[in-house]
Amino acid sequence: QVQLVESGGGLVQPGGSLRLSCVASGSMLGVTAMGWYRQAPGKQRELVARFVGGGNTDYADSVKGRFTISRDNAKNTVSLQMNSLKPEDSAVYYCHLARLRSDYWGQGTQVTVSS
């Protein structure tokens, strides 16, 4: 079993920055992907950024050049540095981990970009 705990959301003005962190606990054997998704009101949950396979990264086109995903394997932590935030980045951000054909989700953290 895996548990994911996110932190770092909040309210920020357009153009500002936030850093999200996710700590995983439990067995990390067989992990195939770990990263971040988001869901805005009335929209489907979408990929933001993730590590897959041997360390490759995927980013949504809408965040490329603004967001950076990083990880600390020793601490089972994945982080998302979000710069140049836009109002359309406002959403609940969820940490996700895929392991042995199972998907695990954090509780979500709210990010609101507004002046």
Side-chain angles (χ1 to χ4, degrees), residues 42-114:
K43 294 188 177 182
Q44 290 187 332
R45 192 171 296 188
E46 63 175 2
L47 172 70
V48 178
R50 66 177 179 175
F51 286 100
V52 293
N56 295 324
T57 55
D58 282 338
Y59 287 92
D61 288 342
S62 60
V63 307
K64 286 179 180 177
R66 301 189 297 123
F67 291 11
T68 303
I69 191 169
S70 61
R71 64 184 180 182
D72 184 334
N73 290 333
K75 297 180 179 179
N76 291 338
T77 299
V78 65
S79 298
L80 185 69
Q81 178 66 41
M82 305 186 293
N83 298 328
S84 302
L85 282 160
K86 304 175 181 179
E88 52 263 42
D89 294 318
S90 297
V92 178
Y93 283 69
Y94 295 92
C95 184
H96 169 261
L97 183 147
R99 174 182 176 270
L100 300 177
R101 300 183 181 179
S102 293
D103 291 294
Y104 300 88
W105 297 93
Q107 79 281 3
T109 185
Q110 178 70 48
V111 171
T112 302
V113 185
S114 175

Side-chain angles (χ1 to χ4, degrees), residues 1-60:
Q1 194 73 327
V2 173
Q3 290 187 326
L4 304 172
V5 178
E6 303 117 331
S7 60
L11 172 65
V12 65
Q13 292 186 343
S17 298
L18 280 176
R19 185 177 181 86
L20 306 182
S21 291
C22 173
V23 180
S25 60
S27 176
M28 294 292 107
L29 291 176
V31 172
T32 55
M34 188 172 181
W36 294 92
Y37 287 70
R38 68 185 179 188
Q39 187 168 20
K43 294 188 177 182
Q44 290 187 332
R45 192 171 296 188
E46 63 175 2
L47 172 70
V48 178
R50 66 177 179 175
F51 286 100
V52 293
N56 295 324
T57 55
D58 282 338
Y59 287 92

